[in-house]
Amino acid sequence: MFDLKGKRALVTGASGGIGYAVASAYAQRGASVVIADITDATDAAAVIGAIPVHCDVSNEDSVAAAFALAVEKLGGLLDIVVLNAGVGDVGPALADTQQSLIDKVTGINYWGVVYGLKHAPASMNDGGSIISTSSMAAFINLPGSAIYSASKKAVVSLTEMAALELGSRAIRVNCICPGYTNTAMGSAEEGRAICEAFTALGRAATVEDMSGVYVFLAAEASRYMTGQALKVDGGWSCGPTTALLELVTGSATAPG
Ligand SMILES: NC(=O)c1ccc[n+]([C@@H]2O[C@H](COP(=O)([O-])OP(=O)(O)OC[C@H]3O[C@@H](n4cnc5c(N)ncnc54)[C@H](O)[C@@H]3O)[C@@H](O)[C@H]2O)c1
């Protein structure tokens, strides 16, 4: 059910963070893996026996070239594509947001997934799996994150549409919405404090908390799931924790 032997996978944004943990987990389960990243992933790839390919996901030609190169280097069409590359830049209120932040976040988080979903199918076997990385920011807005949240909500919408379009080829398309995860992007102290106050599990995630879910969505175990956005958030979306309620109202239970 969770075996990936003989599968070919491409993971974007996998020179570090969540993407690298996913690439490692796939390689451990027998998949051949290409890491497609804007930064040089040669050393990181060597550790897990993956193949590094340069790719700027915000550039359509670069994305198309990375898929073509991955097929060539892996010796056949892909079975698993993970569109994970992203940036977490947040800023002031919308009225004061710089165009440069809008262009950067939208270019990578939104257009990166558009180009990935546009070009992946031609490089994939029927019956494959595409997994994008959205975010809990798609569902829970934090001040200053308007552009980031919108880009991640768009990933949910694109996932549903692509699932509809690719169902006839039995290609499944899902996305994962991580809560705060301890990476270069998510390791900020505020993130940790937010998780302690806001999540049922009371802690930020590790990249290994995430990678198992990417294995699940890539594998046979999830073969009847498509078009879904999985919240992997330690219970953040369930509602206020007892500790938070106590802090705000002075009582650990809801007001009667
Ligand atoms: N860490 C968190 O708390 C968190 C929470 C929710 C969602 N996410 C999402 O998870 C994904 C991975 O983030 P992470 O936390 O591992 O961050 P990270 O910064 O550790 O990794 C991001 C990766 O994307 C690559 N990248 C950046 N721009 C690129 C581009 N233009 N083309 C190709 N690759 C590019 C980086 O080189 C890096 O390898 C992102 O989409 C992010 O939005 C992260």
Side-chain angles (χ1 to χ4, degrees), residues 78-246:
L78 305 170
D79 304 291
I80 305 160
V81 170
V82 180
L83 305 172
N84 167 75
V87 285
D89 300 38
V90 294
L94 263 178
D96 300 315
T97 298
Q98 299 284 322
Q99 188 60 40
S100 55
L101 183 144
I102 297 172
D103 290 344
K104 181 182 175 192
V105 173
T106 308
I108 297 170
N109 294 4
Y110 172 70
W111 288 107
V113 173
V114 171
Y115 297 146
L117 292 173
K118 182 175 171 188
H119 290 280
S123 297
M124 290 182 75
N125 285 312
D126 289 0
S129 174
I130 302 176
I131 304 155
S132 299
T133 303
S134 173
S135 170
M136 277 309 296
F139 303 100
I140 297 177
N141 296 292
L142 288 174
S145 70
I147 307 301
Y148 181 76
S149 289
S151 73
K152 292 301 188 179
K153 195 145 211 161
V155 172
V156 176
S157 172
L158 289 164
T159 297
E160 292 173 352
M161 198 63 234
L164 282 170
E165 292 184 359
L166 296 172
S168 58
R169 289 184 53 197
I171 293 177
R172 301 180 297 109
V173 189
N174 294 287
C175 66
I176 291 173
C177 307
Y180 275 98
T181 307
N182 197 3
T183 66
M185 180 188 301
S187 64
E189 203 45 51
E190 324 68 274
R192 223 183 317 278
I194 285 172
C195 290
E196 280 163 15
F198 284 79
T199 67
L201 295 183
R203 65 171 178 86
T206 64
V207 292
E208 289 78 18
D209 290 330
M210 294 297 149
S211 58
V213 187
Y214 288 79
V215 170
F216 168 64
L217 284 180
E220 268 293 290
S222 62
R223 66 187 170 217
Y224 198 60
M225 285 184 66
T226 194
Q228 301 306 304
L230 263 65
K231 294 173 182 162
V232 188
D233 68 346
W236 189 5
S237 51
C238 297
T241 59
T242 306
L244 188 62
L245 208 59
E246 213 159 15

Side-chain angles (χ1 to χ4, degrees), residues 11-24 35 48 82 84 133 207 214:
V11 185
T12 71
S15 70
I18 295 171
Y20 186 65
V22 172
S24 309
I35 287 177
I48 58 169
V82 180
N84 167 75
T133 303
V207 292
Y214 288 79

